[in-house]
């Protein structure tokens, strides 16, 4: 036996532990403390804090939005106890057609962008926790297809889609845009298009898979209505429309609701991606907190809000983020990057190259040297969702609320600290000066 | 903090082919952005401005597969640039390189701003793409290209009045002014037959470039020349050493610039050295320019726009400002994000 053959036959190292975090050379939203918090939740399934202490480290608009209760508590409300079971976080979405045990959507990461095991782990975690996982654009991984609580994505390239695939899962997502690259299509670098990806997506090996920027059969709001109707007729499932948070988001949300969709996923600036031209990622799109507040306001004004679902995505890093987005008008929050961090992502921004040290977004090799433990990865994501929801319950408890339903649209519970007058107006909250 | 953040430099160098293996191609990145104003610290108003991604209510355009036009016409259609770009900052470079830069820019359809006259042997077509600083003592006959006059006030205009009358309508005249929003000055510039204004931040002024530019665009749309809006006969150009990237050029376009003069950006992008091989310099400039053009096309396509000059220039409505005070949004004419 030659040395190469021996190497080929040796079984890969199974990754079941987190890697140490590299030193960061530039400013980053996902600070070490944010990553450690998520790792705590993922390892233990237990809450670590009530109010998000990491928000002082960055200056997102949402980081400068506070629950008035936190300020009134003056730091005393931060003692973690076991949350009361009477606080209810289950949520009905899409005109009551889907019920989620925890108010979380696991956001639309494709097979191809992720290397298979993370896709399965996320889908299984959704089944275990009673949440919902979007499968992304890259077709259906056979193991993911065995899970029930998935949302099948219908994106501009239609990779690997047929009636059978569309009927799997609990909902269909028409993907119009995503927060990391509004206005352009998906992008899977050729280096990651190996045999299995080629078969799932039905595209040639080694060639960049660049999805069309628009859907070439959706050029108007009327076209969108026809597609929503056709997908509902074909599947009998609720249809969600995923868009990026962009400049005209209130009008887009109103159009999506009016055209008969069951909900909208609004993906904000700073959301993750497997690959995007940096010029697009860095210069297009607005923060999800502004987009959600403004879309919710428009939908209410037009009498379209009742039963319609708003899912907020993009830089959702903690239960407090999710709670604040809910108070601003979202029904549930979506996590993508946070789920990757739970599975060991160390945020080195190299997904497009295919050499992920945490083997989450790596190129799929025939004889890999390292693989992610499916069992551990699934447990990490399940724990994250449970620990996260426990923190959410603690927040609701501090706010004196009995359920997540009671928090929806309660902008009066929020204040802005050091925000511009224009941001406060869009958020519909009042500002306080930072020394009060 | 330097305005030349590492990611900005590295992006330019990847385009120019100094770094990486995909010269001329827009660099690819992954996971969420760390761009200002919310993660990195904002340094300029431009850092607060975002462009649009078209979706649902209108389609985006796929610049990989569908045509998008970055060309702009200056001087009432007499000069055509293939992209809204003019290369400046040539006074500090090796004199032997100046011709190399001029020729590379001509091949790419990009303008050049020069302070000293170019070699007399240059082909007239190449000359027509050169904006040359005029010396008051200079004879007008030596050049066909646009002449740039430094104008700070109405009095300055009066000083060059006679010269201007002497050359009449035969020359393309450019007023290079500081960042000010004086309606009277614009009115005089229009009245004296200038065909372009360069708002140059290096000349100082009392406004940020973004505000001065947006106000100039607005003012010129109100002023008239023979009952036509002056803006249609008058090109508007923005210049500053801190214009860092194609996205800055794109956003300045949105605020009203038909084209931008970049200087430090190209020198940093091609990693300029006075002893470098002319062929390498030329290659890197061409890579950088084609790469910047492709980035502009990506931004245009995402916004659902097929022509830079007709739909981006002065389209403040297409842009939004993140985390800027209301009064600044008003001065820029850009709505706050979410509105």
């Amino acid at each position: 036996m030659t040395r190469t053959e021996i190497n080929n036959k040796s079984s890969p190292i199974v990754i079941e532990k987190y890697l140490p975090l590299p030193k960061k050379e530039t400013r980053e939203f996902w600070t070490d403390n944010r990553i450690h918090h998520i790792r705590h939740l993922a390892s233990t399934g237990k809450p670590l804090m009530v109010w998000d202490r990491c928000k002082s480290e960055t200056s997102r608009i949402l980081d400068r939005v506070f629950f008035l209760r936190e300020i009134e508590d003056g730091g005393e409300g931060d003692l973690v106890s076991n949350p009361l079971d009477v606080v209810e976080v289950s949520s009905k979405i899409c005109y009551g057609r889907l019920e989620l045990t925890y108010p979380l959507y696991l956001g639309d990461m494709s097979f191809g962008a992720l290397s298979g095991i993370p896709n399965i782990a996320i889908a299984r975690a959704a089944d275990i926790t009673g949440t919902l996982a979007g499968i992304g654009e890259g077709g259906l991984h056979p193991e993911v297809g065995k899970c029930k609580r998935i949302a099948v994505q219908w994106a501009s390239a239609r990779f690997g889609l047929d009636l059978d695939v569309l009927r799997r899962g609990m909902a269909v997502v028409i993907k119009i845009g995503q927060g990391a690259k509004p206005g352009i299509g998906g992008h899977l670098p050729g280096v990651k298009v190996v045999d299995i990806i080629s078969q799932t997506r039905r595209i040639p090996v080694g060639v960049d898979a660049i999805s069309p920027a628009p859907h070439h059969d959706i050029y108007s709001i009327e076209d969108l209505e026809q597609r929503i109707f056709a997908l509902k007729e074909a599947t009998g499932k609720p249809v969600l429309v995923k868009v990026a948070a962009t400049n005209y988001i209130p009008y887009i949300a109103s159009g999506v609701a009016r055209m008969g969709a069951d909900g909208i996923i609004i993906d904000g600036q700073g959301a993750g991606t497997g690959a995007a031209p940096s010029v697009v990622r860095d210069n297009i799109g607005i923060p999800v907190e502004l987009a959600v507040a403004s879309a919710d306001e428009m939908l209410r004004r037009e009498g379209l809000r009742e039963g319609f679902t708003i899912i907020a995505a993009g830089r959702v890093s903690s239960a407090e983020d999710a709670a604040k987005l809910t108070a601003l008008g979202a029904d549930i929050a979506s996590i993508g990057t946070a789920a990757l961090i739970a599975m060991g992502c160390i945020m080195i921004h190299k997904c497009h190259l295919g050499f992920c040290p945490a083997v989450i977004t790596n190129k799929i090799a025939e004889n890999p040297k390292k693989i992610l433990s499916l069992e551990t990865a699934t447990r990490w994501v399940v724990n994250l969702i449970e620990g996260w929801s426990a923190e959410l319950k603690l927040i609701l408890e501090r706010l004196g609320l009995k359920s997540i339903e009671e928090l929806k649209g309660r902008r009066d519970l929020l204040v802005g600290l050091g925000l511009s007058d224009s941001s406060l107006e869009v958020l519909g909250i009042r500002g306080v000066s930072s020394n009060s | 903090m330097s305005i030349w953040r590492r990611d900005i430099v590295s992006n330019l160098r990847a385009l120019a082919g100094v770094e990486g293996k995909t010269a001329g191609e827009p660099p690819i990145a992954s996971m969420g952005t760390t761009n200002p104003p919310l993660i990195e610290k904002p340094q300029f108003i431009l850092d607060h401005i975002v462009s649009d991604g078209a979706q649902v209510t209108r389609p985006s355009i796929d610049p990989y597969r569908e045509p998008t036009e970055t060309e702009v016409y200056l001087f009432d259609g007499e000069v055509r640039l293939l992209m809204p770009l003019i290369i400046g900052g040539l006074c500090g470079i090796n004199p032997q390189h100046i011709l190399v830069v001029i020729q590379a820019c001509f091949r790419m359809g990009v303008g050049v701003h020069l302070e000293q006259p170019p070699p007399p042997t240059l082909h007239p077509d190449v000359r027509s793409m050169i904006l040359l600083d005029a010396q008051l003592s200079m004879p007008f006959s030596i050049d066909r290209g646009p002449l740039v006059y430094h104008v700070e006030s109405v009095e300055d205009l009066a000083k060059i009045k006679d010269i201007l009358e002497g050359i009449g309508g035969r020359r393309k005249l450019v007023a290079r002014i500081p960042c000010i929003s004086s309606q009277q000055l614009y009115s005089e510039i229009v009245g004296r037959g200038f065909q372009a204004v360069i708002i140059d931040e290096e000349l100082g002024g009392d406004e940020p470039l973004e505000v001065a530019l947006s106000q100039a665009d607005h003012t010129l749309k109100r002023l008239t020349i023979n009952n036509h809006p002056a803006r249609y006969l008058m090109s508007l150009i923005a210049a500053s050493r801190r214009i860092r990237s194609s996205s800055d050029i794109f956003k300045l376009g949105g605020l009203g610039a038909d084209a931008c003069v970049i200087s430090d950006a190209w020198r940093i992008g091609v990693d300029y050295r006075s002893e470098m091989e002319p062929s390498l310099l030329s290659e890197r400039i061409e890579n950088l320019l084609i790469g910047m053009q492709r980035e502009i096309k990506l931004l245009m396509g995402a916004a659902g726009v097929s022509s830079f000059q007709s739909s981006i220039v002065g389209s403040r409505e297409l842009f939004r400002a993140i985390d800027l005070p209301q009064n600044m949004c008003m001065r820029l004419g850009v709505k706050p994000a979410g509105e």
Side-chain angles (χ1 to χ4, degrees), chain A residues 364-381:
Chain A
I364 301 168
E366 254 179 62
N367 299 296
K369 292 202 180 79
K370 295 195 290 185
I371 57 162
L372 185 63
S373 157
L374 175 58
E375 203 183 313
T376 308
T378 310
R379 197 185 67 236
W380 279 334
V381 182

Side-chain angles (χ1 to χ4, degrees), chain B residues 58-59 61 67-69 297 300-308 311-312 318:
Chain B
R58 59 203 180 88
I61 294 171
T68 41
E69 297 295 345
K297 285 187 170 198
M300 285 169 59
V305 162
S306 60
S307 159
F308 185 87
S311 303
I312 294 297
L318 199 61

Side-chain angles (χ1 to χ4, degrees), chain A residues 269 282-283, chain B residues 5 35-37 41-51 201 208-211 213 238 240 242-257 260 319-322 324 328 332 334:
Chain A
Q269 187 194 53
D282 296 345
N283 295 290
Chain B
R5 267 198 337 263
N35 235 32
K41 285 230 182 310
Q43 306 195 62
F44 306 109
I45 293 169
L46 284 180
D47 289 339
H48 292 267
I49 294 178
V50 290
S51 176
E201 208 168 35
L209 174 64
E210 293 90 337
V211 173
L213 179 64
S240 172
R242 55 117 165 156
I243 301 176
R244 299 158 292 181
S245 58
S246 55
S247 55
D248 280 358
I249 294 167
F250 191 75
K251 293 173 194 176
L252 289 168
L255 293 172
C260 292
F319 295 79
R320 291 292 184 276
I322 296 175
L324 275 186
M328 179 52 83
L332 289 168
V334 173

Side-chain angles (χ1 to χ4, degrees), chain A residues 36-170:
Chain A
H36 289 312
H37 173 226
I38 289 170
R39 285 182 171 189
H40 170 91
L41 298 176
S43 312
T44 65
K46 300 271 189 282
L48 181 68
M49 55 198 187
V50 181
W51 305 116
D52 184 350
R53 290 192 286 266
C54 307
K55 61 181 177 285
S56 60
E57 297 178 348
T58 46
S59 49
R60 237 182 348 166
I61 287 171
L62 200 62
D63 294 325
R64 289 174 274 160
V65 173
F66 291 75
F67 280 108
L68 191 56
R69 186 58 205 264
E70 183 190 0
I71 299 173
E72 287 169 352
D73 279 356
E76 282 182 19
D78 205 25
L79 293 172
V80 173
S81 53
N82 285 330
L84 298 171
D85 280 338
V86 293
V87 178
E88 187 53 68
V89 293
S90 72
S91 196
K92 283 201 171 112
I93 60 166
C94 299
Y95 297 92
R97 297 175 67 194
L98 286 180
E99 179 154 9
L100 307 179
T101 312
Y102 301 116
L104 280 176
Y105 178 85
L106 310 175
D108 304 315
M109 292 173 284
S110 74
F111 176 45
L114 308 189
S115 55
I117 287 172
N119 303 85
I120 307 168
I122 288 171
R124 287 189 182 171
D127 271 9
I128 295 168
T129 56
T131 51
L132 186 63
I135 67 160
E137 190 183 10
L140 190 60
H141 186 293
E143 287 302 311
V144 172
K146 291 177 187 165
C147 297
K148 289 199 171 59
R149 300 192 71 97
I150 55 173
V152 175
Q153 188 174 105
W154 196 75
S156 62
R158 313 281 151 85
F159 290 127
L161 279 182
D162 56 26
L163 208 46
D164 173 51
V165 169
L166 281 171
R167 282 186 179 143
R168 310 272 194 103
M170 304 178 82

